[in-house]
Amino acid sequence: MTTGILVFAHGSRDPKWRLPIEAVATQITQRQPGTLVRCAYLELCLPSLPDAATDLIAAGARRLRVFPLFLGVGKHAREDLPLLIDEIRTAHPGVTIELLPTAGESDRLISLMADIALCGAHT
């Protein structure tokens, strides 16, 4: 079963804001060439999560893994994101959707951020 990965973030009108989000998607593709991956945004820029999901499904994905790039588990992660996931499930009932924990819930990321704070970004 082909899996598509959705890297999901808040969004911003500033085009440079998207660069780190797109860098995550690029790293995924570089590590596993041929992986279906798209960035998606809650607001202020495109594509939306449902639109990016539809694009991955059209490309052959039958399973979607949603990775929310939020540091905290605030309203967007607790309330807005589940509603968007339900919208995708309703529109594509044959597709399995896995919602990963937010990036900020990852012990590895928390440790990495502490390392950066202690040692700098280029160590």
Side-chain angles (χ1 to χ4, degrees):
M1 183 180 306
T2 302
T3 299
I5 298 174
L6 290 156
V7 180
F8 182 64
H10 185 273
S12 172
R13 286 182 186 89
D14 182 344
K16 290 184 178 185
W17 178 90
R18 297 169 64 134
L19 296 177
I21 311 310
E22 292 169 357
V24 172
T26 298
Q27 282 278 322
I28 292 167
T29 302
Q30 288 174 346
R31 292 177 187 201
Q32 289 190 359
T35 300
L36 298 175
V37 62
R38 301 289 185 277
C39 296
Y41 304 96
L42 179 64
E43 58 188 12
L44 305 174
C45 55
L46 298 174
S48 68
L49 187 64
D51 288 346
T54 297
D55 186 44
L56 285 174
I57 293 163
R62 294 297 164 255
R63 181 172 187 222
L64 300 176
R65 180 176 295 136
V66 180
F67 180 38
L69 289 186
F70 297 117
L71 289 180
V73 185
K75 179 183 180 293
H76 292 316
R78 280 191 329 269
E79 297 175 19
D80 300 329
L81 181 53
L83 292 174
L84 292 169
I85 297 294
D86 287 345
E87 181 181 331
I88 296 166
R89 284 189 173 124
T90 299
H92 306 281
V95 175
T96 302
I97 302 173
E98 176 187 7
L99 177 57
L100 300 174
T102 64
E105 294 175 89
S106 166
D107 290 339
R108 292 186 306 181
L109 181 60
I110 292 167
S111 179
L112 175 62
M113 289 188 296
D115 289 344
I116 291 168
L118 289 167
C119 305
H122 300 290
T123 59

